[in-house]
Amino acid sequence: MTDPTMSDPAMGDPDPYGSVRQRIVAATTAWAGGMTLAEIRESFERFLGDGAGAPEVLRTALRIAGLPACAFDPPEATPRTTLLYCHGGGFQIGSIRSHAGLMARLAAASGARVLGFDYRLAPEHRFPAAADDAFAAYAELVRAGDTPLAIVGDSAGCALALGTAIRARDAGLALPKALVLLSPWLDLTLSGESYTALADLDIFSRPAQLRAMARTYLGRDNPPSDPAASPVLGDLSGLPAILVHAGGHDITLDDAHLLVRKVVAQGGRIEVEVFEGMPHHFQVFEELPEAGASLRRIGAFIRAL
């Protein structure tokens, strides 16, 4: 567990969380004000993509499995060491543009190439389109002899990351050495107590919002209890080591706790760190000291693989 450092003057801004709170409230108020999905997507990209990230990281547009992608290479990147990144956004929003700053900072912290990609979004492309795209990207890297060192995801991207590892295991493909999950949203049934207990504390996500996103992603014919959509409800044996970083005020926090119980029960290895007072996928806000601390620890974890 981390100690709150939000008011430590030595960390720079004496209250960085206050500025983040203002940004989030302004953005979420606008999103709830009748904006179209296209407008919300564009706003979300600006909202998260305005950060400076790590300017020393080289960004290269490319394609993987026919999908738009971007490679983030730090100056000291180890050749053929790739982290496959699955961005969040409730399966409806988000892109390599919105998460570019986070992926660049992860590349700098880990010393590894981070490869992000744009998967198909709902409602234009419902389940299992996003999951199929994530697996296709991973499989193409394996076939090219560049099996990712780790699969990383945030929020809904964690369901894609975990689901991809499960599918790779079942298909007999080479597995990554680790999974790294940031504020994982893994149970689309929203059965954990945190979805109600932390509903008034998480300033970024709301239960009604996630329920609507799950319905839009799944459509009418796919139940949220399907392990292909909610991978934490499936077989978690035989997976690589898992590192989870979540916020103490994150409404999806119980998904992380459920993952721990199931992985441990099935003989796997998992480590979870909860950052007190932090909201859902707080790492995207680079002005937060906790975001920097999380990425430094993740970087150290990846460098030790």
Side-chain angles (χ1 to χ4, degrees), residues 199-292:
D200 293 331
L201 294 176
D202 191 330
I203 63 172
F204 192 85
S205 296
R206 295 289 185 269
Q209 170 195 22
L210 293 186
R211 282 193 294 270
M213 286 179 159
R215 286 195 303 269
T216 299
Y217 175 52
L218 294 171
R220 295 181 179 180
D221 300 326
N222 302 292
S225 58
D226 183 348
S230 298
V232 73
L233 305 181
D235 177 8
L236 302 180
S237 62
L239 296 178
I242 302 174
L243 175 66
V244 177
H245 279 194
H249 288 175
D250 184 349
I251 64 171
T252 68
L253 182 58
D254 275 355
D255 286 15
H257 294 323
L258 176 59
L259 181 65
V260 170
R261 293 194 298 272
K262 293 203 63 175
V263 167
V264 170
Q266 297 179 43
R269 294 172 295 157
I270 185 168
E271 176 184 341
V272 177
E273 184 167 6
V274 178
F275 290 73
E276 295 292 346
M278 291 295 99
H280 190 62
H281 74 149
F282 64 92
Q283 293 89 350
V284 299
F285 305 112
E286 62 182 295
E287 59 266 56
L288 289 176
E290 290 81 357

Side-chain angles (χ1 to χ4, degrees), residues 16-142:
Y17 193 55
S19 64
V20 170
R21 182 185 299 275
Q22 291 175 359
R23 288 178 58 206
I24 292 174
V25 169
T28 54
T29 299
W31 297 339
M35 296 174 68
T36 67
L37 180 57
E39 290 170 338
I40 292 174
R41 286 172 176 168
E42 176 63 25
S43 174
F44 187 74
E45 289 193 348
R46 293 196 309 270
F47 176 65
L48 295 186
D50 287 343
E56 73 277 14
V57 171
L58 177 65
R59 308 180 188 200
T60 305
L62 45 80
R63 297 187 75 83
I64 179 172
L67 304 167
C70 187
F72 298 81
D73 291 295
E76 79 283 14
T78 303
R80 310 295 284 182
T81 301
T82 299
L83 310 179
L84 183 64
Y85 195 97
C86 304
H87 72 77
F91 309 105
Q92 292 179 75
I93 59 178
S95 66
I96 50 180
R97 178 187 167 196
S98 65
H99 283 66
L102 176 56
M103 289 188 283
R105 289 183 286 122
L106 175 61
S110 65
R113 161 176 277 202
V114 175
L115 183 59
F117 60 97
D118 283 343
Y119 51 85
R120 290 171 290 172
L121 299 175
E124 299 94 328
H125 305 281
R126 300 188 192 274
F127 172 83
D132 287 347
D133 287 350
F135 179 70
Y138 180 84
E140 182 167 301
L141 290 174
V142 173

Side-chain angles (χ1 to χ4, degrees), residues 141-160:
L141 290 174
V142 173
R143 287 193 297 267
D146 188 20
T147 299
L149 181 65
I151 309 176
V152 186
D154 71 273
S155 189
C158 294
L160 302 180

